[in-house]
Amino acid sequence: MDTDMNFLQGIWDWFWMLFWIFAYMVYLFALFYVIFDVFRDRSLNGWLKAVWLIFLVFVPFITALVYVIARGKGMAERSARKQVEYREYSDAYVRSVSFASPSDEIAKAQSLRDDGVISEGEFEALKAKALGDKY
Protein backbone atom coordinates (compact mmCIF):
# COMPACT_ATOMS: atom_id res chain seq x y z
CA MET A 1 0.00 0.00 0.00
CA ASP A 2 1.43 3.36 -1.06
CA THR A 3 1.18 5.96 1.72
CA ASP A 4 3.08 8.65 -0.16
CA MET A 5 1.25 11.98 0.13
CA ASN A 6 1.02 14.00 -3.01
CA PHE A 7 0.28 17.28 -1.22
CA LEU A 8 2.28 20.35 -2.20
CA GLN A 9 4.35 18.61 -4.82
CA GLY A 10 4.49 21.39 -7.37
CA ILE A 11 4.95 25.13 -7.29
CA TRP A 12 1.30 25.73 -8.18
CA ASP A 13 0.21 23.75 -5.13
CA TRP A 14 2.22 26.14 -2.98
CA PHE A 15 0.68 29.17 -4.66
CA TRP A 16 -2.79 27.70 -4.21
CA MET A 17 -2.12 27.06 -0.53
CA LEU A 18 -0.79 30.62 -0.06
CA PHE A 19 -3.90 32.00 -1.78
CA TRP A 20 -6.19 30.13 0.62
CA ILE A 21 -4.15 31.24 3.63
CA PHE A 22 -4.43 34.83 2.39
CA ALA A 23 -8.18 34.46 1.79
CA TYR A 24 -8.64 33.03 5.29
CA MET A 25 -6.69 35.88 6.89
CA VAL A 26 -8.76 38.46 4.96
CA TYR A 27 -11.92 36.69 6.13
CA LEU A 28 -10.77 36.76 9.78
CA PHE A 29 -9.80 40.42 9.49
CA ALA A 30 -13.24 41.30 8.08
CA LEU A 31 -15.00 39.23 10.73
CA PHE A 32 -13.15 40.89 13.61
CA TYR A 33 -13.63 44.32 12.05
CA VAL A 34 -17.39 43.71 11.97
CA ILE A 35 -17.32 42.57 15.60
CA PHE A 36 -15.39 45.68 16.66
CA ASP A 37 -17.80 47.87 14.71
CA VAL A 38 -20.81 46.25 16.35
CA PHE A 39 -19.43 47.18 19.77
CA ARG A 40 -18.32 50.64 18.60
CA ASP A 41 -21.77 51.57 17.26
CA ARG A 42 -23.65 53.53 19.91
CA SER A 43 -26.89 53.59 17.91
CA LEU A 44 -27.40 49.84 18.37
CA ASN A 45 -28.89 48.71 21.64
CA GLY A 46 -27.61 45.66 23.49
CA TRP A 47 -30.19 43.29 22.04
CA LEU A 48 -29.36 44.16 18.45
CA LYS A 49 -25.66 43.78 19.19
CA ALA A 50 -26.37 40.35 20.65
CA VAL A 51 -28.40 39.35 17.57
CA TRP A 52 -25.58 40.42 15.21
CA LEU A 53 -23.06 38.49 17.29
CA ILE A 54 -25.22 35.34 17.41
CA PHE A 55 -25.60 35.42 13.65
CA LEU A 56 -21.85 36.04 13.30
CA VAL A 57 -21.20 32.88 15.31
CA PHE A 58 -23.60 30.61 13.41
CA VAL A 59 -23.47 31.98 9.85
CA PRO A 60 -20.39 34.20 9.89
CA PHE A 61 -19.70 34.69 6.18
CA ILE A 62 -23.23 35.66 5.18
CA THR A 63 -23.75 37.78 8.30
CA ALA A 64 -20.50 39.69 7.77
CA LEU A 65 -21.43 40.26 4.12
CA VAL A 66 -24.93 41.50 5.04
CA TYR A 67 -23.50 43.73 7.79
CA VAL A 68 -21.00 45.34 5.43
CA ILE A 69 -23.68 45.92 2.79
CA ALA A 70 -26.32 47.21 5.20
CA ARG A 71 -24.13 49.24 7.53
CA GLY A 72 -21.00 49.91 5.47
CA LYS A 73 -21.47 53.67 5.31
CA GLY A 74 -21.86 53.85 9.09
CA MET A 75 -18.76 51.69 9.51
CA ALA A 76 -16.71 54.13 7.45
CA GLU A 77 -18.05 57.14 9.37
CA ARG A 78 -17.36 55.56 12.77
CA SER A 79 -13.88 54.53 11.66
CA ALA A 80 -13.07 58.03 10.36
CA ARG A 81 -14.40 59.62 13.55
CA LYS A 82 -12.32 57.25 15.68
CA GLN A 83 -9.17 58.05 13.68
CA VAL A 84 -9.73 61.78 14.28
CA GLU A 85 -10.18 61.12 18.00
CA TYR A 86 -6.97 59.05 18.09
CA ARG A 87 -5.06 61.78 16.25
CA GLU A 88 -6.36 64.53 18.55
CA TYR A 89 -5.52 62.47 21.63
CA SER A 90 -2.05 61.69 20.30
CA ASP A 91 -1.36 65.33 19.40
CA ALA A 92 -2.54 66.51 22.83
CA TYR A 93 -0.32 63.94 24.53
CA VAL A 94 2.73 64.91 22.48
CA ARG A 95 2.13 68.59 23.22
CA SER A 96 1.75 67.93 26.92
CA VAL A 97 4.93 65.88 27.11
CA SER A 98 7.34 67.58 24.74
CA PHE A 99 6.37 71.21 24.41
CA ALA A 100 6.90 73.08 27.64
CA SER A 101 6.48 76.82 27.90
CA PRO A 102 9.64 78.98 27.85
CA SER A 103 9.16 79.87 31.52
CA ASP A 104 9.07 76.14 32.41
CA GLU A 105 12.27 75.53 30.44
CA ILE A 106 14.01 78.47 32.13
CA ALA A 107 12.84 77.29 35.58
CA LYS A 108 14.21 73.80 34.90
CA ALA A 109 17.50 75.23 33.70
CA GLN A 110 17.68 77.52 36.75
CA SER A 111 17.14 74.60 39.12
CA LEU A 112 19.88 72.67 37.31
CA ARG A 113 22.20 75.68 37.65
CA ASP A 114 21.33 76.08 41.36
CA ASP A 115 22.06 72.38 41.94
CA GLY A 116 25.43 72.77 40.24
CA VAL A 117 24.63 70.38 37.40
CA ILE A 118 25.20 73.01 34.69
CA SER A 119 27.38 76.08 34.52
CA GLU A 120 26.28 79.71 34.14
CA GLY A 121 27.16 79.65 30.44
CA GLU A 122 25.09 76.53 29.86
CA PHE A 123 22.20 78.15 31.75
CA GLU A 124 22.38 81.23 29.53
CA ALA A 125 22.44 79.02 26.41
CA LEU A 126 19.37 77.08 27.58
CA LYS A 127 17.62 80.31 28.46
CA ALA A 128 18.34 81.78 25.02
CA LYS A 129 17.12 78.56 23.37
CA ALA A 130 13.88 78.62 25.42
CA LEU A 131 13.28 82.22 24.43
CA GLY A 132 13.92 81.42 20.77
CA ASP A 133 17.14 83.41 20.47
CA LYS A 134 20.07 82.14 18.44
CA TYR A 135 23.12 81.49 20.58
Side-chain angles (χ1 to χ4, degrees), residues 2-118:
D2 189 15
T3 59
D4 186 19
M5 300 195 61
N6 291 326
F7 183 65
L8 300 177
Q9 294 296 318
I11 190 75
W12 294 111
D13 293 332
W14 283 99
F15 283 125
W16 191 243
M17 183 187 71
L18 290 175
F19 168 76
W20 283 112
I21 290 172
F22 174 75
Y24 183 69
M25 296 303 288
V26 168
Y27 166 72
L28 286 179
F29 178 77
L31 191 66
F32 282 112
Y33 192 77
V34 167
I35 291 171
F36 291 144
D37 189 68
V38 165
F39 284 108
R40 185 184 298 157
D41 189 4
R42 294 183 181 173
S43 67
L44 288 176
N45 64 23
W47 288 105
L48 286 175
K49 289 179 183 183
V51 168
W52 277 113
L53 291 176
I54 288 170
F55 276 102
L56 278 170
V57 168
F58 291 111
V59 273
F61 183 75
I62 293 175
T63 305
L65 189 62
V66 168
Y67 188 88
V68 169
I69 291 169
R71 301 180 55 84
K73 183 178 179 184
M75 287 175 70
E77 291 169 356
R78 283 186 291 280
S79 179
R81 189 174 344 130
K82 203 59 152 169
Q83 290 301 319
V84 169
E85 289 175 12
Y86 289 151
R87 189 176 309 116
E88 288 172 355
Y89 175 76
S90 176
D91 292 345
Y93 177 74
V94 168
R95 277 192 300 276
S96 71
V97 172
S98 63
F99 297 120
S101 67
S103 60
D104 292 338
E105 293 293 327
I106 293 170
K108 287 178 190 176
Q110 187 174 8
S111 70
L112 288 173
R113 181 192 62 185
D114 294 343
D115 292 341
V117 176
I118 61 173

